[in-house]
């Protein structure tokens, strides 16, 4: 796999935002769930174990693709 060392930044805008890591490979399943309260942040990478991240709740996310909010309505 080509290496991508980029980080993504997730800032919780309400209590109880969930950041869920999904496994890489043929079997796509949850492997980690992190709960963030308002104004808490998580800085994370995609890794050998993590191919996708699901975010539930109101949060602002920064990636190399730009900044977006889960409630953008876009
Ligand atoms: N042990 C996980 C991994 O190395 C930790 C992790 C990395 C993670 N990125 C994540 C967990 C994103 C949740 C969301 O892949």
């Amino acid at each position: 796999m080509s290496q991508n060392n980029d980080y993504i930044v997730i800032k919780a805008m309400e209590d109880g935002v969930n950041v869920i890591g999904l496994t890489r490979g043929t079997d796509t399943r949850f492997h980690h769930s992190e709960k963030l309260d308002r104004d808490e942040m998580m800085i994370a990478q995609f890794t050998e174990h993590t191919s996708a991240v699901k975010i539930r709740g109101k949060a602002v996310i920064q990636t190399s693709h730009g900044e977006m909010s889960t409630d953008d309505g876009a």
Side-chain angles (χ1 to χ4, degrees):
M1 186 186 110
S2 62
Q3 202 60 46
N4 172 4
N5 296 316
D6 289 353
Y7 286 82
I8 64 170
V9 179
I10 302 142
K11 179 179 180 190
M13 304 303 286
E14 66 179 2
D15 289 347
V17 170
N18 267 294
V19 179
I20 300 160
L22 294 109
T23 56
R24 190 176 296 284
T26 51
D27 182 24
T28 306
R29 58 180 170 75
F30 291 6
H31 69 74
H32 186 94
S33 178
E34 195 71 37
K35 187 159 280 178
L36 304 180
D37 285 333
R38 186 182 168 84
D39 293 339
E40 287 186 322
M41 302 181 73
M42 185 162 167
I43 302 166
Q45 287 173 301
F46 291 92
T47 69
E48 178 191 351
H49 305 292
T50 304
S51 67
V53 176
K54 174 174 174 174
I55 297 159
R56 297 191 61 165
K58 194 172 175 203
V60 175
I61 298 119
Q62 283 184 337
T63 74
S64 57
H65 300 284
E67 179 175 300
M68 62 219 93
S69 170
T70 52
D71 70 351
D72 271 350

